[in-house]
Amino acid sequence: MDRQKNKNRILFAEARTDLALEAGERLQDDNAVPQGLRVETLQCEDADAVITRVHVESGEAARRMKKPMGTYITIEAPTLAGEDEGYHQTVSGLLSRQIRELLPGAERTELLVVGLGNRAVTADALGPKTIDHLAVNRHILPFYKEEMKKKPFTVLSAIEPGVMAKTGIETAQVVQSITRSLEPDAVLVLDSLAARSIHRLYTTIQISNTGIAPGSGVGNHRNAIDSQTLGVPVIAVGIPMVVDAATIVRDALNDGGRHPGEGAERKAAACLEELQNMYVTTKEIDEMTERLSFTLSEAINGLM
């Protein structure tokens, strides 16, 4: 009986999330913050946003966080889901500055942007839709050689590799092949993320220098796209578009999921197994995906 109760408690405490910020919050709630985990927070008054930098600096911190070692920058903008175009432009500028901080320091940066995801699944189409709005310029470089000598210049190219279910090819293999051919200074990977909290849907942007494992947020791990596999710096940018259904049940029955009571734990454990492979989003997902793809594309275009 005790063994089953402990098993239920462990299952009940788990929540899939791509956000290092949420993983760190879980450790703080459990009073289990490891050595090598450092968190910095900055309030941006002009953008009505909070920037949190999570530095995972040790193997133990990476193990406890279930994230690779590196830097994770989170922009929390509570009104990002709104229709205010001016505000989206402000956030785009803020995001552009955060990305630039992680880029190589060369005056001329050649950047390959990869839009991960499945265009046919709206909640997973953020990467491909962002690619649609990019001002790619690599193909016109021969006409602007003199201008490039006069000022810093970002060379931008982009690909939409699709998903293995359609191509039969691992996404990482596609990106590796193109990276070897183009030899960019860095690769910028865009993807839809999964969050633990419904309040972070559409309002949170994560930037990291650790790369990404496509599908990891929904438990569908593919080969990683990172600096080790590509041989160049890899920056990952994503926005939570889905939440684990089991998380919502836990939050509803257990006071936000932090202090589950025995009765609530039994109820949640009974349906947890059925919900573990279900992910949910809101009815505004079409509108949100389109709007946020413009926000991301403007940030990347701003790098030029």
Side-chain angles (χ1 to χ4, degrees):
M1 185 70 174
D2 290 339
R3 182 179 299 177
Q4 182 61 39
K5 184 176 180 179
N6 289 336
K7 180 181 179 182
N8 289 344
R9 180 176 290 112
I10 292 171
L11 287 173
F12 198 62
E14 289 295 330
R16 291 194 185 107
T17 178
D18 287 317
L19 299 178
L21 177 63
E22 292 185 330
E25 289 174 343
R26 174 179 55 83
L27 294 178
Q28 289 178 338
D29 290 341
D30 294 339
N31 293 318
V33 178
Q35 291 290 329
L37 179 61
R38 186 163 51 90
V39 180
E40 303 170 338
T41 302
L42 173 66
Q43 181 73 46
C44 298
E45 301 292 345
D46 57 335
D48 187 27
V50 176
I51 297 178
T52 303
R53 289 182 173 87
V54 178
H55 304 277
V56 181
E57 300 173 332
S58 70
E60 175 63 14
R63 185 184 68 81
R64 299 287 293 277
M65 288 279 288
K66 299 181 180 179
K67 305 289 180 186
M69 292 175 59
T71 299
Y72 300 82
I73 304 172
T74 305
I75 301 175
E76 294 180 274
T79 56
L80 187 60
E83 300 181 5
D84 187 341
E85 292 186 10
Y87 183 72
H88 277 259
Q89 290 177 355
T90 300
V91 173
S92 291
L94 180 61
L95 174 58
S96 188
R97 293 193 293 272
Q98 300 305 310
I99 294 174
R100 190 176 293 278
E101 286 186 12
L102 298 179
L103 285 174
E107 286 190 354
R108 178 182 180 274
T109 300
E110 185 162 345
L111 187 63
L112 170 63
V113 184
V114 180
L116 297 179
N118 188 344
R119 187 181 288 270
V121 180
T122 308
D124 195 32
L126 181 64
K129 283 186 173 292
T130 301
I131 295 294
D132 292 342
H133 310 310
L134 291 182
V136 294
N137 61 0
R138 188 177 188 277
H139 59 300
I140 60 174
L141 289 183
F143 304 102
Y144 292 92
K145 290 182 179 180
E146 293 303 317
E147 285 79 356
M148 289 173 58
K149 295 177 182 178
K150 298 177 182 178
K151 62 180 181 179
F153 199 96
T154 297
V155 180
L156 201 63
S157 56
I159 61 166
E160 178 188 338
V163 292
M164 192 169 66
K166 287 187 173 182
T167 65
I169 308 170
E170 279 278 2
T171 302
Q173 291 179 309
V174 177
V175 179
Q176 278 180 314
S177 178
I178 295 176
T179 301
R180 284 196 296 267
S181 177
L182 298 185
E183 297 184 341
D185 298 306
V187 173
L188 180 62
V189 183
L190 311 175
D191 201 8
S192 302
L193 304 181
R196 180 214 169 279
S197 170
I198 59 174
H199 302 296
R200 289 198 165 104
L201 287 180
Y202 319 138
T203 65
T204 304
I205 306 173
Q206 178 173 273
I207 313 105
S208 73
N209 61 0
T210 61
I212 195 168
S216 60
V218 295
N220 183 25
H221 294 269
R222 310 304 325 164
N223 291 343
I225 300 173
D226 55 26
S227 59
Q228 290 185 339
T229 58
L230 299 188
V232 298
V234 178
I235 301 168
V237 179
I239 299 176
M241 308 298 284
V242 296
V243 174
D244 189 343
T247 296
I248 297 177
V249 172
R250 181 189 58 194
D251 287 349
L253 298 178
N254 293 295
D255 186 27
R258 293 186 175 89
H259 305 290
E262 184 176 347
E265 184 176 289
R266 285 199 303 268
K267 294 177 184 178
C271 65
L272 185 62
E273 186 174 352
E274 297 179 10
L275 294 175
Q276 279 186 326
N277 291 321
M278 295 181 63
Y279 293 84
V280 297
T281 189
T282 67
K283 62 183 180 181
E284 299 91 0
I285 183 62
D286 296 83
E287 180 183 356
M288 291 295 101
T289 301
E290 190 66 29
R291 184 179 301 152
L292 293 173
S293 69
F294 273 103
T295 303
L296 292 184
S297 66
E298 286 301 301
I300 298 169
N301 290 337
L303 296 172
M304 295 189 289

